[in-house]
Amino acid sequence: FVQTEYLAECGALIATRRPRSPDEPRIWAAHFAVVEGEIVGDLQYESDRARFIGRCRTVGTAAAIEHHQPLSNTVGTVLDPIFSLRSRIRVPPRKVARVAFWTLVAATRAELLDLIDKHHDRSAFDRVKTLAWTQAQVQLRHLGVEAEEAADFQRLAAPILYADLRFRAPSEAIIRGAAPQSGLWPLSISGDLPIVLLRIDDIEDMAQVRQLLRAHEYWRLKGLSVDLVIVNERASSYIQDLQIAIETAVRSSQSQPPLSEGLAKGSVYTLRSDLMSVDARSLLQSIARVVLVARRGPVASQLARLPQPVGLSPIRHPKPSVSLPKPASASPPPDLEFFNGLGGFDKDGREYVTILDAGRTTPAPWINVIANPTFGFQSSVEGSGYTWAENSRENQLTPWSNDPVGDPPGEAIYIRDEETFDLWSPTAQPIQDGGTYIARHGFGYSRFEHEANGIALELLQYVPVADPIKISRLTLRNLSGRPRRLSITAYAEWVLGTSRSGSGPFLTTEIDGATGAMLARNPWGMAFSGRTAFADLGGRQTARTADRTEFLGRNGGPESPAVLIGRVPLSGTTGAGLDPCAALQCVVELAAGATTEVVCFLGQCATPDAARALIARYREADLDAVLKEVTDRWQKLLGAVQVKTPDRAMDIMLNGWLLYQTLACRIWARSAFYQASGAFGFRDQLQDSMALTFASPDETRRHLLRAAARQFAEGDVQHWWLPHSGQGVRTRISDDRVWLAFATAIYVVSSG
């Protein structure tokens, strides 16, 4: 909805968002540069993120930088807008040049143009910097905060935003106190905001209470929403002098007139430990982002006693060393129908095959939605995607992304040669080595093929007909003519909720004693808090970690994980307070010409016992038979109605893919690349279910009853709703109500 334009007279990019309704406030933004120095050539600009970064790249590897491409100088309506300006300047020996980049926001175009004009000179930066410094001093004086103290408050802001175990309770205490968010509600604390906890038991330490109250006001002034909880841990007595002092300090701090109207949310809570249950005290300790003890002195003293972070130096990890295959002579693509240069249909239209070579990518992620009624995953041609259980939005096991440019992977499989330490992956994400990657999207499965470093790889992924488990089967064939020793590492970023940043601080992980699998839980979540997720390498894992920071490294990424690039053994770390992931590793010995298979399981069950039983069953299962059951079901369903028309393309779509997407994507998953809603739409899924009237009338009937349950006695309906909770939006959109009667009539006529 964002439209951009370029103002040549001031060298500025401006943007605005089209309003959704006539009364919605407009917002305008501008970006420009002021150069002090000798400019060489014309200014270049870009407003299209896809052109600037390039598919499957990051800002660190942006195509516009790495390939030395000129910026396109295009503006208008783009799907993924950015501001990018490039100035070329010449800096003589021992001279200085300065470039000031400005980003301005205004309510109207006229106001924005005035701001651009006001700041488009070389003295503007120094002027604004001085005004900003002056304003900061006024704010600090109003709050009674010294500059050094403000710096300490800034340091505390980091663990409030990004959970840091050094500031939290020990891992054992986090696990011991873990409970659903509703456990805070009897204390009148919502749990929606990060919590800073101050424990105090002596009136002599009231200075720390007053300091934290100043910190809370400072954070609110800076737009950081946080709840401050002060717990009086003094033993119960008739004279509550400490409690009276705490409450007086809070009232005094809140009596000051606010310096700004637009303060962030966040409250101060004063609690008495002797009036709280043991469970409530443990829960507060467990979930607080920062835990401070008043008797340990002011914030500066407590910060000074923190241990230094381990392995967090901002080093640049080298790109993985991969031996590229020898370039083969150009060969025509296989006999694919409707081949478009990247892919086409195979097996009479039942598979869509994509061929990526020489670093090529699809213009946008081309995904397969693979699901049963309660579980599933997405898989793109490059191998990225995510997995969910029960609900594709509310209970993501691994992270969903709808970034059509970067398409970041939240799951990956790595192969490393333990002699040469070459590192590669069976799919084009996260490591693309310039070789050829073949992806086959089929009904209920996706298959990937790649060859590198003398090893032929095939990765087959699917879910069973009914069970909540993703099966990934990696087959390795040694073509190198010599024995090979390879490590296989399966990696997944745990979410267990709607977003990794929201649920990550509350996740707990452990290694199951009975199976050796990694188990993960989110006790904090409201909808699915009792469930147990698991990751397993078929029992073959010999090394593991649940610490994402350890695995990727500080400022690292899945394209070059620090542990694998740095040749560091996995530490075996699990517990709570981590940035959670599942990294499991095994080592295989492959004789020349030999083949082996490594199986990875990822899933979630209602209880730990159910997870153990499911893992044990699938370790012993005939996985070929499981796959056959999946493909047989789809063949029976999609073969129920066959159409022949003069248009072969229409036949391929009608005789499989449209019906497959209707059931797997629209009704079961309710998720795709553009949106992961997890919700039923009253109108949308009624239309979808009508498509199943002939092929699966029972499925149509189930959804008719499901939709009828969301209509009110007055005749209006829930426009959409989440099936596990009933949460949704009640509307009187007229055409919603039409579809229940119409779809029911179609079902009755078709099924009798």
Side-chain angles (χ1 to χ4, degrees):
F1 306 103
V2 175
Q3 294 173 302
T4 60
E5 62 178 293
Y6 178 66
L7 302 180
E9 61 273 18
C10 51
L13 281 170
I14 69 172
T16 188
R17 192 184 71 195
R18 298 197 306 277
R20 300 175 184 177
S21 62
D23 56 347
E24 182 182 18
R26 294 294 294 265
I27 184 168
W28 292 79
H31 188 64
F32 61 91
V34 177
V35 179
E36 294 183 55
E38 182 183 352
I39 299 175
V40 180
D42 295 331
L43 183 73
Q44 299 176 14
Y45 55 90
E46 181 62 81
S47 64
D48 187 340
R49 180 167 170 263
R51 291 190 185 189
F52 185 88
I53 293 180
R55 277 276 288 126
C56 295
R57 290 175 168 269
T58 67
V59 289
T61 60
I65 305 301
E66 283 204 342
H67 296 167
H68 308 289
Q69 299 173 352
L71 302 186
S72 69
N73 293 352
T74 56
V75 290
T77 301
V78 293
L79 291 177
D80 204 344
I82 62 167
F83 281 148
S84 179
L85 296 171
R86 175 185 288 166
S87 292
R88 294 184 180 274
I89 59 175
R90 179 177 286 114
V91 187
R94 297 179 179 83
K95 298 296 182 181
V96 174
R98 294 184 178 90
V99 183
F101 287 100
W102 292 86
T103 305
L104 310 174
V105 179
T108 66
R109 182 188 177 95
E111 182 184 339
L112 186 75
L113 295 177
D114 287 343
L115 284 173
I116 295 173
D117 184 62
K118 178 180 177 181
H119 295 90
H120 212 291
D121 66 76
R122 295 181 178 183
S123 63
F125 177 77
D126 287 332
R127 182 174 68 248
V128 171
K129 184 176 68 170
T130 301
L131 289 172
W133 183 89
T134 303
Q135 182 188 37
Q137 304 313 303
V138 172
Q139 291 174 346
L140 294 180
R141 180 170 296 182
H142 174 80
L143 297 176
V145 174
E146 298 295 330
E148 294 79 5
E149 191 176 49
D152 293 335
F153 298 163
Q154 292 276 7
R155 286 187 62 191
L156 282 182
I160 291 172
L161 290 168
Y162 302 102
D164 185 334
L165 186 57
R166 298 175 303 148
F167 292 83
R168 300 183 67 187
S171 176
E172 300 77 17
I174 295 175
I175 295 172
R176 187 168 57 248
Q181 183 177 352
S182 55
L184 288 179
W185 298 349
L187 305 176
S188 299
I189 301 173
S190 71
D192 293 338
L193 300 179
I195 288 175
V196 172
L197 174 63
L198 176 65
R199 300 165 55 194
I200 182 171
D201 61 4
D202 193 329
I203 198 168
E204 296 297 323
D205 297 320
M206 277 299 299
Q208 279 70 271
V209 172
R210 289 187 284 270
Q211 185 182 39
L212 262 294
L213 290 171
R214 292 194 298 275
H216 188 256
E217 285 301 303
Y218 180 83
W219 293 326
R220 291 182 69 215
L221 187 66
K222 297 297 183 182
L224 178 59
S225 299
V226 56
D227 283 336
L228 173 61
V229 180
I230 304 170
V231 177
N232 175 3
E233 296 183 339
R234 191 168 186 174
S236 179
S237 67
Y238 180 75
I239 302 175
Q240 289 292 331
D241 55 337
L242 178 56
Q243 187 67 22
I244 292 170
I246 293 172
E247 292 175 356
T248 301
V250 172
R251 285 196 300 271
S252 175
S253 72
Q254 294 177 342
S255 65
Q256 297 181 14
L259 192 64
S260 171
E261 292 299 323
L263 293 178
K265 298 178 181 178
S267 301
V268 179
Y269 301 89
T270 59
L271 304 174
R272 283 174 51 185
S273 179
D274 59 331
L275 300 182
M276 297 167 61
S277 68
V278 173
D279 289 343
R281 292 200 302 269
S282 297
L283 177 58
L284 262 180
Q285 283 265 85
S286 174
I287 58 95
R289 300 288 180 93
V290 175
V291 179
L292 298 171
V293 180
R295 64 170 56 243
R296 294 176 184 169
V299 170
S301 299
Q302 301 199 41
L303 288 172
R305 283 198 292 267
L306 285 174
Q308 289 300 309
V310 179
L312 297 185
S313 56
I315 59 174
R316 279 192 178 274
H317 300 291
K319 290 188 177 181
S321 167
V322 177
S323 303
L324 298 181
K326 294 180 181 179
S329 57
S331 58
D335 189 17
L336 300 178
E337 293 188 81
F338 300 102
F339 186 74
N340 56 23
L342 290 173
F345 291 97
D346 196 13
K347 295 187 177 179
D348 196 30
R350 296 191 302 276
E351 277 189 352
Y352 192 82
V353 182
T354 307
I355 303 170
L356 302 179
D357 54 15
R360 293 195 302 167
T361 61
T362 55
W366 294 354
I367 70 164
N368 197 8
V369 179
I370 299 171
N372 62 37
T374 60
F375 183 87
F377 68 93
Q378 290 179 11
S379 183
S380 77
V381 164
E382 285 82 13
S384 60
Y386 86 111
T387 305
W388 70 86
E390 296 294 316
N391 190 276
S392 57
R393 179 185 183 274
E394 301 289 302
N395 194 35
Q396 302 167 27
L397 303 189
T398 58
W400 170 77
S401 166
N402 70 337
D403 178 355
V405 178
D407 190 19
E411 303 175 28
I413 295 178
Y414 300 91
I415 299 93
R416 186 176 68 179
D417 188 308
E418 293 303 290
E419 295 176 4
T420 65
F421 290 98
D422 286 342
L423 181 69
W424 68 102
S425 57
T427 56
Q429 286 269 52
I431 301 172
Q432 188 168 29
D433 59 23
T436 299
Y437 297 84
I438 299 176
R440 299 177 178 272
H441 285 337
F443 300 139
Y445 67 90
S446 282
R447 190 188 306 267
F448 304 89
E449 301 167 15
H450 180 52
E451 181 183 330
N453 302 297
I455 304 294
L457 306 168
E458 180 185 284
L459 176 63
L460 174 63
Q461 297 182 314
Y462 54 98
V463 300
V465 168
D467 288 323
I469 185 170
K470 176 182 178 180
I471 301 171
S472 299
R473 302 168 63 183
L474 177 67
T475 302
L476 305 98
R477 187 157 48 97
N478 185 357
L479 307 178
S480 65
R482 58 185 176 85
R484 303 291 291 276
R485 188 169 188 266
L486 307 171
S487 66
I488 314 301
T489 306
Y491 169 76
E493 298 179 355
W494 291 123
V495 176
L496 311 191
T498 57
S499 70
R500 190 169 60 81
S501 60
S503 59
F506 310 106
L507 300 192
T508 65
T509 54
E510 63 176 297
I511 300 302
D512 180 52
T515 63
M518 183 179 291
L519 306 182
R521 301 182 187 86
N522 178 10
W524 180 252
M526 293 297 295
F528 302 99
S529 61
R531 298 179 64 82
T532 299
F534 60 85
D536 179 52
L537 282 184
R540 299 176 64 173
Q541 55 266 23
T542 55
R544 59 197 59 82
T545 186
D547 187 350
R548 178 172 172 266
T549 302
E550 171 198 338
F551 187 80
L552 296 182
R554 184 73 169 91
N555 297 326
E559 70 283 353
S560 57
V563 163
L564 301 180
I565 297 296
R567 310 171 190 179
V568 180
L570 300 182
S571 68
T573 300
T574 58
L578 306 170
D579 187 353
C581 75
L584 303 176
Q585 189 177 80
C586 69
V587 177
V588 299
E589 306 276 356
L590 266 181
T595 299
T596 191
E597 181 179 81
V598 177
V599 179
C600 176
F601 298 134
L602 185 71
Q604 189 189 59
C605 293
T607 65
D609 287 342
R612 293 184 191 102
L614 189 65
I615 292 168
R617 178 153 58 89
Y618 274 91
R619 283 180 180 178
E620 302 299 324
D622 181 345
L623 297 183
D624 288 332
V626 174
L627 177 62
K628 187 175 187 303
E629 186 180 9
V630 172
T631 54
D632 285 351
R633 179 192 63 177
W634 283 114
Q635 185 174 344
K636 178 181 178 182
L637 177 72
L638 304 180
V641 176
Q642 291 292 293
V643 176
K644 186 169 181 59
T645 74
D647 187 338
R648 173 61 179 160
M650 180 177 284
D651 292 353
I652 289 176
M653 297 305 291
L654 289 176
N655 292 330
W657 286 103
L658 293 181
L659 201 59
Y660 172 77
Q661 299 289 9
T662 297
L663 185 56
C665 173
R666 298 282 302 161
I667 293 179
W668 287 347
R670 302 182 300 284
S671 172
F673 190 86
Y674 177 76
Q675 182 186 31
S677 75
F680 285 107
F682 195 91
R683 168 189 58 205
D684 297 356
Q685 268 76 33
L686 279 170
Q687 294 172 342
D688 294 327
S689 67
M690 288 168 58
L692 297 165
T693 305
F694 291 107
S696 183
D698 289 346
E699 190 70 46
T700 303
R701 183 179 188 275
R702 271 193 295 273
H703 188 68
L704 288 171
L705 296 176
R706 190 186 291 130
R710 313 317 298 180
Q711 186 162 23
F712 299 96
E714 293 81 2
D716 59 312
V717 305
Q718 278 190 294
H719 183 62
W720 62 263
W721 73 94
L722 293 167
H724 63 278
S725 65
Q727 292 172 290
V729 173
R730 180 177 180 177
T731 71
R732 289 176 170 77
I733 297 175
S734 59
D735 75 320
D736 275 349
R737 291 171 286 169
V738 173
W739 286 98
L740 180 58
F742 183 57
T744 304
I746 293 294
Y747 166 75
V748 171
V749 170
S750 302
S751 68

